Amino acid sequence: MTSVRPAPTPASGASPRPKSGPRAAPGRRLGRDWRLAATFLAPTAVLVGVLVLLPIAWSVVTSTTERHGQDSVFVGLANYFALTDDEQFHTGVVNSFVFTAYAEVFKVVLGLSAALLLHQRRRGRAVLAGLLLLPWVVPTVVTAFSWRALLDPIFGSVNTLLTESGIGPLLVRAHLVDSWPAGWLSEASLAMPSVIGVNVWKGVPFFTVAFLAGLKAIPTELYEAATVDGASAWRRFLHVTLPGLRHVITVTVTLSSIWTFNNFDLIWLLTQGGPGDATAPYVLVAYSKAILQLQYGAGAAVTLVMLPVIGVLVFLLVRLLRRDSGVAPPRRARKPRPARSPRTTRRVRTALPWAVAAATAALLAWASPHIFWKAAVLLGVFLLVAATVGRVVSALAAWGRRRASSLVSGLASWVALAGLLLFVLAPLYWIFVTAFKSDGQIVMHARDLWPTPWTTQQFVDLFATKPFGRWYLNTVLVSVASTAVALVCAALAGYALARLRFRGAQGFTVTVLITYVMPGALLFIPLYQLLIGMRLTDSLWSLVVTYPTFTLPFATWLLAGYFASIPVELEEAALVDGCTRLQAFRRVVLPLAKPGLLAVGLFTLTNAWNEFLFAFVFITKDEYKTLPVGMQSMITGDVVPQGQLAAASLLVSIPVVLMYAFGQRFLTEGLTAGAVKG
């Protein structure tokens, strides 16, 4: 899991002692390495300040204005007061809460189940984990297109398979759907559950990998002791597994909640907030007001009103990560409080999660009663099946039939894994085979699972009728340029935070962490205004300049942890041999940090390759569009060129999948030794 590691203190020989006298005063106040630290941190500080902190401050100013023609008039808090009667805003906030809460619940349940299944495997675990990671790796535009096509009420394979299997009519009788064939994305009662399901499909791999890392960290001695004491598998799960994963679950859910609550691209690509406002989150409301209606003040007010919610999640995440790093937050001197008994503290810690869960369930039942009972039924069936299998396995073991118990347990595990792999890989397989079908076969649904015959006509038409090659080149140029900027700045800043001694290092680290988790929803409105003033809209420079807002903080954070893991003695030996600090950094530290640099490069390149919101807002001309925005523009109204989109999705996904496949060794080494543990 993500963790900010404390920087090791340089040895006394690493840099000369500050001299006594008046010239030494700045060194005593700011730290002995403050000059070099200021030089190394300057690029990152400028970019973060100009592209993140300044836009947020400008957004606050913008929220107090209203556009009248070409002029902006100061209106104070009028935009905020107007939101109290804005039904669209109210619906957006409720939709964001419902979307996030249900998605996180199912991600935790499915992610933990997948992690437990993989943890038990001794053979093929790496291959299975790699397959389960694919939904997280493929671009969001590919995810949205594949599921949009699969859930189509007339031509979608989901309705076809459910009809042929007889499950569809059963869903109607159970009142899980209103009619058949179901309009998964076009009916108000089904659109939100469908969007949540797609988000769960894409997010489960992240939870699986995180929980699998947490399970590996739990000492096997605890399980052995519990088994000796006669604890059943269920009790071992409750009293060993869950307590061991408590920190991992909290950090993962908090981080994922920030991302999900501010999701824009997946919902826009699937439903554009429809039907009506059934799936429109608050971010889409802000986009509609600021970009479509050109009311920047109203749009900024929408994003800033939700800042306290995001702020609470960010504050919780920062405290968790700092505690995990062993760096306790500074405390002010306080009056001594009466000590609580260990039993009272234990009761509070046990009751708090249940209280939060109960409050969340009550809010969900009030906000979305039509989804609440359906979700409860699905979770109930899932838990009932798992509990039944567990009971049977435990009973067979208690009766001394260990061979039968192992057989039932293994069979249940393989069935569960097969179902999970089918859920994960089916949409990706559909994209692959559709890309090699003719238009006639796609329309007639002839042999959906296998092209007959195989053809490359979709790829030929894609390049012949669309500027796909130009979009591809734009994406490569923007991704490589923004990655280069992030790597250079992050390497300098990460080294300063890990090695140099200066005042404010901890504060700068926390600032970097906060800017990393700040959503693009807070930035796209002021950045759009800034780019208009600089006349950079509709140019690739607008993306090269703004993409570091979400790549640079993470890159700095990860490299700071990786540099801290490199033995300081190697650098000290170079300094003793006459190298300057800069020479030691270039000749000793950077060569040893290649795995970390490659891991950062892979992450930043992938994020830039998949980015949608900024490119969608800042670019309108076809000649400057990137792949995600260009593919979205291929859909005009109800006309969806499924074959060409499948071919485009395949071409977009292949580079990312190959990068992760070939860079997996460096990625694992970089993340293990760096700022991401697990």
Side-chain angles (χ1 to χ4, degrees), residues 25 49 75 120 127 176 185 250 261 415 527 572 635 676:
V75 294
Q120 296 173 356
V127 175
L176 292 174
L185 297 175
T250 305
F261 190 76
V415 170
L527 285 176
E572 291 176 353
I635 302 174
V676 179

Side-chain angles (χ1 to χ4, degrees), residues 5-10 493-500 502 559-565:
R5 295 193 176 188
T9 304
Y495 176 79
L497 294 175
R499 282 288 195 261
L500 304 182
F502 62 98
L559 285 179
Y562 193 88
F563 287 140
S565 69

Side-chain angles (χ1 to χ4, degrees), residues 342-367:
R343 181 177 298 179
T344 303
T345 303
R346 194 181 308 113
R347 287 178 178 176
V348 171
R349 290 182 177 178
T350 304
L352 185 59
W354 290 106
V356 173
T360 303
L363 287 173
L364 287 174
W366 167 80

Side-chain angles (χ1 to χ4, degrees), residues 160 211 230 275 322 408 449 468 471 504 509 521 601 612 641:
T160 302
F211 293 160
R322 292 177 69 184
V408 172
L449 299 180
F468 188 78
W471 298 341
T509 303
F612 177 80

Side-chain angles (χ1 to χ4, degrees), residues 11-206:
S12 58
S15 60
R17 292 184 178 181
K19 298 178 182 180
S20 59
R23 294 183 179 180
R28 287 198 300 267
R29 293 195 305 268
L30 303 177
R32 64 189 181 192
D33 299 321
W34 71 273
R35 287 188 176 88
L36 188 59
T39 303
F40 275 37
L41 292 175
T44 299
V46 170
L47 288 176
V48 169
V50 172
L51 297 177
V52 180
L53 302 180
L54 182 60
I56 291 177
W58 181 249
S59 184
V60 175
V61 176
T62 302
S63 68
T64 62
T65 64
E66 185 176 292
R67 189 182 180 91
H68 290 173
Q70 297 295 325
D71 300 324
S72 296
V73 180
F74 177 77
V75 294
L77 300 178
N79 288 321
Y80 295 93
F81 292 136
L83 295 179
T84 59
D85 299 322
D86 191 332
E87 290 299 327
Q88 186 184 24
F89 170 71
H90 298 166
T91 302
V93 172
V94 172
N95 286 341
S96 294
F97 168 72
V98 169
F99 176 67
T100 302
Y102 285 114
E104 296 310 307
V105 169
F106 281 96
K107 286 177 192 175
V108 169
V109 173
L110 294 179
L112 183 56
S113 302
L116 290 171
L117 290 173
L118 291 178
H119 188 62
Q120 296 173 356
R121 302 262 76 82
R122 291 294 176 264
R123 295 179 179 179
R125 181 164 58 187
V127 175
L128 292 173
L131 292 175
L132 291 178
L133 195 63
L134 286 177
W136 189 56
V137 171
V138 298
T140 302
V141 66
V142 176
T143 299
F145 159 69
S146 60
W147 279 102
R148 183 171 174 172
L150 288 170
L151 296 175
D152 186 274
I154 300 176
F155 302 106
S157 298
V158 171
N159 276 353
T160 302
L161 292 175
L162 292 179
T163 300
E164 292 177 353
S165 63
I167 298 176
L170 291 178
L171 296 177
V172 178
R173 294 175 189 173
H175 302 288
L176 292 174
V177 298
D178 297 330
S179 60
W180 196 260
W184 299 102
L185 297 175
S186 57
E187 295 180 14
S189 60
L190 293 177
M192 180 60 81
S194 301
V195 172
I196 292 171
V198 176
N199 182 266
V200 170
W201 178 83
K202 189 166 183 62
V204 162
F206 173 72

Side-chain angles (χ1 to χ4, degrees), residues 468-632:
F468 188 78
R470 185 64 192 177
W471 298 341
Y472 218 103
L473 180 61
N474 291 341
T475 306
V476 171
L477 292 176
V478 170
S479 301
V480 171
S482 60
T483 299
V485 172
L487 272 177
V488 172
C489 296
L492 295 174
Y495 176 79
L497 294 175
R499 282 288 195 261
L500 304 182
R501 173 175 284 182
F502 62 98
R503 178 169 296 214
Q506 187 66 28
F508 194 93
T509 303
V510 173
T511 302
V512 167
L513 175 61
I514 292 175
T515 55
Y516 167 54
V517 295
M518 279 296 172
L522 288 174
L523 303 175
F524 77 90
I525 295 176
L527 285 176
Y528 181 68
Q529 292 179 282
L530 177 64
L531 293 173
I532 288 179
M534 299 172 62
R535 297 184 180 180
L536 285 179
T537 53
D538 277 326
S539 72
L540 296 183
W541 284 110
S542 64
L543 304 182
V544 174
V545 168
T546 56
Y547 276 10
T549 57
F550 56 86
T551 58
L552 180 57
F554 173 77
T556 302
W557 178 24
L558 192 148
L559 285 179
Y562 193 88
F563 287 140
S565 69
I566 297 175
V568 69
E569 292 79 11
L570 299 176
E571 192 174 354
E572 291 176 353
L575 294 174
V576 170
D577 289 341
C579 286
T580 64
R581 174 75 77 169
L582 186 59
Q583 290 173 333
F585 168 68
R586 182 168 58 86
R587 297 178 181 178
V588 178
V589 178
L590 282 183
L592 294 174
K594 283 183 180 179
L597 294 172
L598 288 172
V600 167
L602 180 59
F603 266 99
T604 53
L605 189 63
T606 304
N607 285 331
W609 187 273
N610 298 341
E611 202 282 328
F612 177 80
L613 177 59
F614 286 0
F616 180 66
V617 173
F618 302 155
I619 304 295
T620 58
K621 296 181 180 179
D622 272 350
E623 57 186 300
Y624 297 120
K625 287 180 179 177
T626 57
L627 286 171
V629 180
M631 290 177 61
Q632 187 269 341

